[in-house]
Amino acid sequence: MANIGKDVDTLNTFLRGEISAVETYRQALGHVSDDRLRGALEDCQHDHEHRVEELKDRIRKMGGEPSEGSGVWGGFAKLVQGGADLLGEKAAIQALEEGEDHGLNDYQGGLDQVHGEARRFVRMELLPAQKRTHERLSRLKRTLH
């Protein structure tokens, strides 16, 4: 039973990161005028929104209470994205890619902190989805240079 509480805590950490990602994409989209770029960023945002819902559902099924906000990472993401907004679309994409790197590292580093079904959920669903979003943004960044 002790593992369930720790698993819920770890999943809530992942949830706060995903909420932060959604907020950051929303902020970046407010400064993007190119339709192709906008569409790609909206796809990434929707991927993160989907993971937010999956995490909330999983946490509830485990008897936990999902986090509501992004916490510390949300403030950090807003700071980074705010600086990128002043510098334009390329800088915004760079900031988003750094966020995707952070998310990927969080999932990879946190995999050993979850157990049983929660571990399978992270390894088989969240981590592969994060890798796809990360790769999509990396490809997008390469097309801008």
Side-chain angles (χ1 to χ4, degrees), residues 1 4 11 31 39 51 54 83 96 101 112 135:
M1 283 308 265
I4 291 176
L11 293 181
H31 302 281
R51 288 197 289 279
E54 284 185 322
L96 290 169
D101 289 341
D112 290 335
E135 181 55 34

Side-chain angles (χ1 to χ4, degrees), residues 25-91:
Y25 275 95
R26 187 172 294 126
Q27 192 172 27
L29 282 162
H31 302 281
V32 173
S33 56
D34 179 274
D35 287 339
R36 182 185 62 85
L37 181 59
R38 185 174 209 41
L41 294 182
E42 286 172 343
D43 288 345
C44 289
Q45 180 183 1
H46 294 310
D47 288 348
H48 286 290
E49 289 170 340
H50 180 71
R51 288 197 289 279
V52 164
E53 294 309 313
E54 284 185 322
L55 280 158
K56 284 181 177 181
D57 288 346
R58 181 64 53 137
I59 290 165
R60 283 187 195 105
K61 286 177 184 172
M62 294 173 70
E65 187 64 36
S67 293
E68 292 297 322
S70 56
V72 174
W73 284 115
F76 175 74
K78 288 175 185 155
L79 178 67
V80 170
Q81 187 59 48
D85 291 343
L86 297 173
L87 300 173
E89 290 177 351
K90 285 184 182 180

Side-chain angles (χ1 to χ4, degrees), residues 92-136:
I93 298 301
Q94 177 65 40
L96 290 169
E97 186 184 39
E98 288 174 17
E100 294 295 343
D101 289 341
H102 178 75
L104 190 57
N105 290 335
D106 273 357
Y107 283 128
Q108 290 170 333
L111 190 56
D112 290 335
Q113 297 175 24
V114 288
H115 308 86
E117 182 57 29
R119 184 181 178 103
R120 188 210 64 77
F121 172 61
V122 174
R123 189 179 77 243
M124 301 302 290
E125 296 180 41
L126 297 175
L127 186 56
Q130 177 61 30
K131 286 179 179 178
R132 286 190 300 272
T133 307
H134 182 273
E135 181 55 34
R136 182 183 300 137

